[in-house]
Amino acid sequence: GRMDTLGLGSVLLTGCDGGLGLSLLKGFLEQPSPPQHLFAACLDPNGKVLGSSQHVLQHPATVTIPPTKPSCPLADVTDPNSIKAAAGKVRERVGSAGLNLLINNAGTTRHSTLATETPENMTLVYTTNTIGPLQMSQAFLPLLKEAAEAEEQSGMSCRRAAIVNISSILGSIQVVEAWEERQDVCYRCSKAALNMLTKCLALEYGGSGILCVAVDPGCVTPPLGQGVGPVTLEESVQGILRLLARLSAPSNGTFWDWRGQRLPW
């Protein structure tokens, strides 16, 4: 219903090369009132965003950064210079209105067991999954603060100013989901660390009116074995958008799944 409509001024979404990022991009554009500015950031300018979703990127709301080629959203969350350039592009478009919502979705994984885990895997996955969202959050803090101040509404919400970190139930120390199916130690550690980062961001940025949450999309991790069943990208996206529409101040620094249920750290 209309209650679930986000009605956002501006959104920046990382990891739009495919999968959840691309589906979320489409989900935002298909809303009754799509964001005024939608910034799609991805690694490969010639990748899936251009191929399968040309129509998505021709939508007037979508801005790809930086536009080195037509419809080319290029931003590497592991590269500070790339992030700085992206922040500059966003500022050019949004001005003093700032950025309402940053979704740190870019992520990677390496399949591993405790016996086969390597320092290389650990470093690679942590760099993208944990340091990436940190650097994005630092770089876009001024724009998020401006949005929090510009919005006349009081209270916290994704409409005003928010950082959403796409995490995973596999990062929950309490739940330790699907250990028998997949150990993936590097991935679990990176997401547990991302969850702590989310809490740190919430504690530090909350005073500026910026809401910070972690969300498990359900669909991105491969199927977790019998009984759980893979959730479709469409279900995940619809669930995430519903959740984002109803997050408020009490949700700051918390962990949710795509169904709108609170998860234990």
Side-chain angles (χ1 to χ4, degrees):
R2 295 212 69 82
M3 282 295 290
D4 281 343
T5 301
L6 268 164
L8 286 153
S10 56
V11 183
L12 169 62
L13 176 62
T14 68
C16 292
D17 294 271
L20 181 68
L22 197 50
S23 296
L24 266 172
L25 199 60
K26 291 175 182 169
F28 276 114
L29 291 175
E30 286 161 6
Q31 289 207 300
S33 46
Q36 199 180 338
H37 301 285
L38 182 54
F39 300 95
C42 69
L43 285 170
D44 179 10
N46 305 308
K48 292 176 195 157
V49 178
L50 289 183
S52 64
S53 307
Q54 196 64 43
H55 67 285
V56 170
L57 292 172
Q58 282 165 354
H59 190 285
T62 312
V63 177
T64 58
I65 47 179
T68 47
K69 296 178 190 163
S71 307
C72 162
L74 188 60
D76 179 359
V77 301
T78 67
D79 176 5
N81 291 326
S82 178
I83 292 171
K84 195 175 168 186
K89 288 285 167 205
V90 171
R91 181 168 288 288
E92 276 172 30
R93 295 300 294 253
V94 301
S96 60
L99 177 69
N100 297 113
L101 178 59
L102 167 62
I103 303 181
N104 288 311
N105 167 66
T108 192
T109 187
R110 289 292 180 275
H111 293 297
S112 62
T113 63
L114 206 47
T116 63
E117 195 55 270
T118 64
E120 291 75 18
N121 274 351
M122 293 291 282
T123 304
L124 179 91
V125 174
Y126 189 85
T127 299
T128 299
N129 292 6
T130 314
I131 299 173
L134 167 70
Q135 294 187 127
M136 288 292 294
S137 301
Q138 289 171 328
F140 284 89
L141 176 61
L143 284 157
L144 289 160
K145 276 186 170 170
E146 281 176 42
E149 287 158 16
E151 255 329 302
E152 279 151 31
Q153 54 191 304
S154 57
M156 288 178 155
S157 71
C158 290
R159 287 175 206 84
R160 185 182 174 198
I163 298 171
V164 173
N165 290 325
I166 300 297
S167 185
S168 171
I169 188 73
L170 298 187
S172 169
I173 291 171
Q174 195 170 329
V175 176
V176 287
E177 183 89 35
W179 179 253
E180 301 307 321
E181 288 82 22
R182 51 187 296 221
Q183 295 190 358
D184 292 2
V185 176
C186 54
Y187 184 77
R188 288 177 187 270
C189 290
S190 74
K191 292 300 191 179
L194 178 63
N195 287 352
M196 175 53 100
L197 174 64
T198 304
K199 182 62 86 171
C200 294
L201 293 171
L203 292 168
E204 184 65 14
Y205 296 175
S208 301
I210 301 165
L211 176 70
C212 302
V213 299
V215 176
D216 166 38
C219 61
V220 178
T221 52
L224 297 175
Q226 285 63 48
V228 182
V231 52
T232 67
L233 278 170
E234 288 70 27
E235 287 172 314
S236 175
V237 165
Q238 289 315 308
I240 291 169
L241 292 174
R242 271 195 302 274
L243 170 69
L244 298 188
R246 64 180 184 81
L247 292 172
S248 60
S251 329
N252 192 34
T254 56
F255 188 18
W256 297 82
D257 73 8
W258 63 279
R259 297 179 190 86
Q261 295 172 337
R262 277 284 299 274
L263 294 177
W265 294 117

